[in-house]
Amino acid sequence: MKVTFPHMGSLAIPMKALLEEAGLEVVLPPPTSKRTLTLGSRHAPEFACLPLKINLGNYLEALELGADTIIMAGGVGPCRFGYYGQVQREILRSLGKDCDFLIFEPPAGDFKGLASTCRRLFAGCRPAGILRGAKIAWAKARAVDKLWQVSLWARPREVERGRTSKIIRKLYHKLDQACEMKRIRRIVREGIEELKSQAKGEPKAHIALVGEIYVVLDPFSNQYIEERLGEMGVEVSRTIYLSQWIVHHLVLPTFRLHRPNRSLGLASGYLNYAVGGHGLETVANTVLAARRRFDGVVQLAPFTCMPEIVAASILPRVSKGEGISVLTLFLDEHTGEAGLVTRLEAFVDMLLRQQRQRRQGHGILSWA
Amino acid sequence: MKLGIPRALLYYDHAPLWSTLLEGLGFELVISPPTNKAILDLGVNRAPDEACLPVKICYGHLAALEEKVDALFLPRMVSERPKTFFCPKLMGLPDMVRPELAAELFSPLVDLRRGKRELIRQLSDTLDRGQRQVREALGFAERSLNRFLKKMQEEKLTPLEALAGRSLRRKASQRQIGLLGHPYLLYDSFLNMGLISFLEERGFFPLTAQMLPPQQIQRCAEKLPKKLFWSMEAEIMGSAIAFLEEQVMGIIHISSFACGPDAMIGELISLRAKQSGTPLLELNLDEQTGQAGLQTRLEAFLDMLQRRCPA
Ligand code: SF4
Ligand code: SF4
């Protein structure tokens, strides 16, 4: 059995650790590329969301490399993610791809389905290996997030353009190779040091990144927006992280727990219902960003994403009501790099202009 | 009090339910006219660009009503059955439209996963009527909804025909064409440019999910390895499989440009149609869809069906 799974940002680092520690052979899809996207879009429904298309491209490329078993998460709606696996499985079958497609459904009160999927995947694995794998995977997931967070802080302050991105790539590579808890901890400790030590300047502006989870977490799908903004001197705060996603989507539902919804309170008056995906969080985090005096918010959403369309149609009002500038970017396979960069630059210019005006405004006030 | 109901979205599914309920509670109802160019333009103007056509149309109907009524009625539709949902856009719609409106908006939460008690409480709160009174009116309303559904199914009528009290029973024929899509696209003859009468004029017999027994649709929908969690898509998918069972001549699937849920089942339907060798025409509607283009595609499709089985 050669197992593969779709990429989502750095998900491969913890996932591979889990599966390999458990004793499975893993075939990673090649890093997501233009080719992946082209392959996926060619065979996916035109109006499917971007993540579904990229997933499909990942599978096809992994199958080329000899993978024969795909694993994927399921879901209970209302957003499309919960049905991705079903559609992807049928598409692969119609393309004549012969493979096992295991979908891990969150057990809504019924553990049988999940248990049997687990048995199929881990048949022949030693429980101790699985446990160890889970522990290391969790540590790696947290490490990935921690380092990323520091890199977002460091990049707009870096002395040498591009240095932060180089360091983080190297650190992720090391993390990927590490297989002991002690080593993981050391990589994080030293990594933070290294990232921080090369950061001297001050960021020009502070932007919060909100939106649909996949395109927020996956730099390929968002055209490396965090790097681009960082290198324009903008500090980016991300509201969603992988380890948090694991807790919210895989761990809590398994035990039928729900995340406490702080967002409802924040978004209240603008959006009064959780509309699936991260729609409500997008609105809530935009409000929060305004209260925390960020300079602006960038909303990332796949084209045709229902929850984010709801959010996007409400954000202009949040922007006015809370006094914060918002840029919404809908992404799909036709999104061009040049157009995106132009829009980002224009947005950042506007934020800087607003900053100056605010400062001057204060100046005049204190003068009078 | 004058209450406006937009002739949009789930109107085509639930019209008698809400009108019976609201009239029973003493509201005077104003229903927006059938979609027309002015309503479309109003909607396109007000709605965000990314919204799908049916949502834009709903903005238009609300706008057409707002000056004529004291309040507008647009429930927050979340779920009509356990473990199912409506499209997330319908869940968020009241919040999307509210700030633009000149009239007050009543949008009770309809989430039947939480049971009917909760629905009654919601209705009673938003409409400012006693729970007893609401429960009673709701009972009547449900019965009238059921009569409406049964009439459509038994006499093979469209919702508008059933509402108008048409009693002409459509005769089943060999030349059946299965129509798939959300009722707000299938039955809004402005949006689909008179699809149903067009088919009938050419001597075809349109069959829709509303004309099939619900048990059959449900049984067919359960053939999927995983149940669909959108009730409307489950109905469309189930009727697609039923149409294939019934060996219709061909299937037409109308969806809105960039519709999220439809994109998922569209693929499953087209794979199944291909397997069974049933011709399938997929039509995507948006505000730019031109009558000429649509008709050409339809004509070509019907000609092809005609050639396959000249009857
Ligand atoms: S949140 Fe949006 S992009 Fe993600 S699965 Fe749902 S509809 Fe698709
Ligand atoms: S189901 Fe499709 S057409 Fe209906 S509101 Fe949702 S996206 Fe729009």
Side-chain angles (χ1 to χ4, degrees):
Chain A
M1 183 160 71
K2 292 183 180 163
V3 186
T4 193
F5 53 87
H7 283 299
M8 173 166 81
S10 310
L11 173 69
I13 297 177
M15 267 300 260
K16 184 167 142 250
L18 168 67
L19 299 170
E20 286 187 343
E21 285 293 331
L24 294 168
E25 188 180 344
V26 175
V27 176
L28 281 187
T32 305
S33 66
K34 285 256 157 57
R35 177 174 186 268
T36 318
L37 182 56
T38 312
L39 265 180
S41 318
R42 187 181 310 147
H43 300 294
E46 183 185 359
F47 298 126
C49 21
L50 186 64
L52 184 147
K53 297 179 182 177
I54 299 181
N55 288 171
L56 193 62
N58 286 151
Y59 304 148
L60 289 167
E61 290 188 315
L63 294 175
E64 285 170 3
L65 296 181
D68 56 19
T69 304
I70 295 169
I71 55 181
M72 177 64 181
V76 295
C79 144
R80 287 184 273 182
F81 181 76
Y83 221 75
Y84 271 21
Q86 303 293 329
V87 173
Q88 291 165 339
R89 169 154 59 194
E90 292 213 11
I91 293 173
L92 289 179
R93 202 179 294 148
S94 79
L95 295 175
K97 302 287 172 198
D98 187 25
C99 59
D100 259 339
F101 202 118
L102 301 181
I103 303 173
F104 287 78
E105 291 293 347
D110 170 21
F111 280 85
K112 262 188 270 151
L114 182 66
S116 91
T117 320
C118 285
R119 269 199 302 278
R120 269 180 70 190
L121 178 63
F122 293 119
C125 297
R126 289 195 354 252
I130 302 175
L131 274 181
R132 198 183 127 76
K135 192 169 149 207
I136 291 189
W138 178 239
K140 285 194 179 182
R142 304 239 338 241
V144 161
D145 286 350
K146 185 69 215 169
L147 290 172
W148 193 262
Q149 212 173 0
V150 178
S151 81
L152 289 181
W153 177 89
R155 194 174 286 114
R157 297 174 168 84
E158 68 192 0
V159 177
E160 181 197 327
R161 253 307 139 265
R163 183 74 194 284
T164 308
S165 300
K166 257 187 231 139
I167 301 177
I168 192 90
R169 247 169 255 138
K170 180 192 73 190
L171 289 171
Y172 276 8
H173 181 72
K174 277 195 198 162
L175 260 185
D176 189 39
Q177 305 293 312
C179 34
E180 275 165 61
M181 297 295 282
K182 235 176 52 208
R183 173 115 180 92
I184 297 173
R185 277 194 292 266
R186 219 179 79 210
I187 295 171
V188 175
R189 208 170 44 236
E190 293 176 1
I192 294 178
E193 267 309 294
E194 189 178 358
L195 283 165
K196 282 193 171 161
S197 66
Q198 50 99 39
K200 296 281 184 294
E202 269 308 308
K204 292 190 208 151
H206 204 159
I207 285 181
L209 202 58
V210 303
E212 193 269 348
I213 180 160
Y214 182 93
V215 291
V216 170
L217 290 185
D218 191 78
F220 173 84
S221 72
N222 64 35
Q223 309 246 15
Y224 307 94
I225 191 169
E226 289 157 303
E227 258 175 75
R228 287 184 203 277
L229 284 171
E231 294 183 359
M232 291 179 200
V234 175
E235 182 171 348
V236 178
S237 290
R238 209 207 238 183
T239 50
I240 308 167
Y241 280 90
L242 179 67
S243 49
Q244 184 196 349
W245 181 81
I246 294 176
V247 173
H248 286 168
H249 286 257
L250 305 180
V251 182
L252 291 184
T254 306
F255 301 105
R256 302 191 75 191
L257 296 170
H258 295 287
R259 51 188 144 153
N261 222 329
R262 191 170 69 107
S263 302
L264 261 180
L266 279 167
S268 124
Y270 296 111
L271 177 59
N272 299 309
Y273 200 80
V275 292
H278 281 73
L280 179 64
E281 284 81 354
T282 293
V283 174
N285 285 322
T286 304
V287 173
L288 199 61
R291 304 216 172 133
R292 297 207 174 141
R293 305 209 172 273
F294 279 57
D295 296 288
V297 170
V298 174
Q299 179 199 16
L300 294 176
F303 178 61
T304 78
C305 168
M306 295 103 72
E308 295 300 329
I309 288 176
V310 172
S313 65
I314 286 170
L315 287 187
R317 258 166 351 243
V318 181
S319 165
K320 234 190 252 145
E322 306 286 324
I324 186 153
S325 302
V326 179
L327 173 68
T328 293
L329 296 171
F330 278 100
L331 305 160
D332 70 2
E333 64 271 29
H334 309 298
T335 307
E337 182 182 330
L340 189 114
V341 172
T342 318
R343 292 189 63 190
L344 278 183
E345 282 173 350
F347 184 64
V348 171
D349 280 347
M350 184 191 72
L351 295 185
L352 297 181
R353 223 169 25 244
Q354 285 173 349
Q355 247 182 24
R356 274 197 303 275
Q357 276 163 4
R358 261 200 311 271
R359 263 189 225 126
Q360 278 165 7
H362 286 307
I364 290 166
L365 271 180
S366 60
W367 226 70
Chain B
M1 184 184 214
K2 265 198 200 158
L3 196 54
I5 296 186
R7 191 188 292 263
L9 295 173
L10 302 186
Y11 173 81
Y12 297 92
D13 298 76
H14 297 148
L17 178 80
W18 299 129
S19 55
T20 314
L21 174 85
L22 296 167
E23 277 173 353
L25 294 175
F27 292 97
E28 187 188 332
L29 298 186
V30 183
I31 293 166
S32 55
T35 311
N36 54 41
K37 181 77 172 62
I39 289 181
L40 172 71
D41 290 344
L42 269 173
V44 169
N45 244 323
R46 279 212 184 172
D49 286 343
E50 307 79 37
C52 50
L53 181 62
V55 162
K56 287 183 180 161
I57 289 295
C58 186
Y59 272 80
H61 280 273
L62 291 166
L65 282 169
E66 65 186 354
E67 304 286 349
K68 304 195 181 91
V69 296
D70 304 306
L72 291 155
F73 183 76
L74 183 74
R76 188 190 298 281
M77 301 304 292
V78 171
S79 166
E80 57 179 344
R81 236 169 281 139
K83 297 193 183 174
T84 67
F85 293 100
F86 285 105
C87 170
K89 287 188 202 165
L90 300 187
M91 301 183 185
L93 193 59
D95 294 315
M96 293 163 66
V97 300
R98 183 176 281 113
E100 316 265 337
L101 290 174
E104 201 186 335
L105 185 70
F106 291 162
S107 51
L109 172 68
V110 177
D111 182 356
L112 287 169
R113 293 172 307 165
R114 306 199 196 174
K116 208 186 279 172
R117 263 253 191 79
E118 179 60 22
L119 176 65
I120 292 172
R121 212 182 56 77
Q122 283 284 338
L123 289 168
S124 143
D125 281 359
T126 37
L127 300 171
D128 196 20
R129 296 289 189 275
Q131 295 206 9
R132 267 275 283 298
Q133 203 187 348
V134 171
R135 184 172 318 116
E136 212 168 276
L138 189 62
F140 281 116
E142 283 171 333
R143 278 192 290 279
S144 88
L145 176 65
N146 287 336
R147 274 197 303 277
F148 166 72
L149 296 175
K150 204 156 145 221
K151 192 169 166 76
M152 285 195 287
Q153 184 211 317
E154 285 177 350
E155 303 180 23
K156 309 231 178 287
L157 300 177
T158 68
L160 295 182
E161 290 163 349
L163 285 174
R166 170 171 164 168
S167 59
L168 184 106
R169 188 178 291 259
R170 278 207 174 86
K171 279 192 228 67
S173 88
Q174 291 291 294
R175 297 160 58 83
Q176 288 192 122
I177 293 191
L179 296 187
L180 294 175
H182 291 107
Y184 43 75
L185 290 174
L186 281 186
Y187 302 120
D188 187 327
S189 56
F190 177 82
L191 292 188
N192 64 37
M193 296 162 203
L195 173 68
I196 291 186
S197 43
F198 186 84
L199 292 176
E200 286 185 320
E201 278 159 23
R202 313 266 139 149
F204 290 93
F205 175 66
L207 194 61
T208 66
Q210 285 67 34
M211 302 175 187
L212 294 175
Q215 302 81 348
Q216 184 184 8
I217 294 183
Q218 205 183 340
R219 176 174 54 74
C220 289
E222 274 163 15
K223 291 191 175 164
L224 292 177
K226 174 177 173 177
K227 252 190 167 174
L228 279 155
F229 42 69
W230 301 292
S231 48
M232 305 193 75
E233 265 60 31
E235 185 178 87
I236 296 174
M237 189 71 221
S239 52
I241 299 177
F243 290 157
L244 295 175
E245 264 180 8
E246 303 267 326
Q247 299 181 333
V248 295
M249 282 179 87
I251 296 180
I252 301 178
H253 183 185
I254 305 195
S255 45
S256 135
F257 182 83
C259 167
D262 253 19
M264 304 294 278
I265 57 164
E267 188 70 20
L268 304 182
I269 292 171
S270 83
L271 290 173
R272 281 167 179 71
K274 216 178 281 163
Q275 251 168 25
S276 81
T278 308
L280 170 72
L281 175 66
E282 292 177 307
L283 297 174
N284 270 311
L285 303 182
D286 69 5
E287 56 270 35
Q288 264 109 43
T289 309
Q291 178 139 19
L294 201 70
Q295 280 203 354
T296 324
R297 290 193 59 199
L298 255 176
E299 303 254 18
F301 183 71
L302 296 180
D303 284 347
M304 188 262 290
L305 293 185
Q306 194 77 25
R307 278 196 304 277
R308 275 170 59 111
C309 30

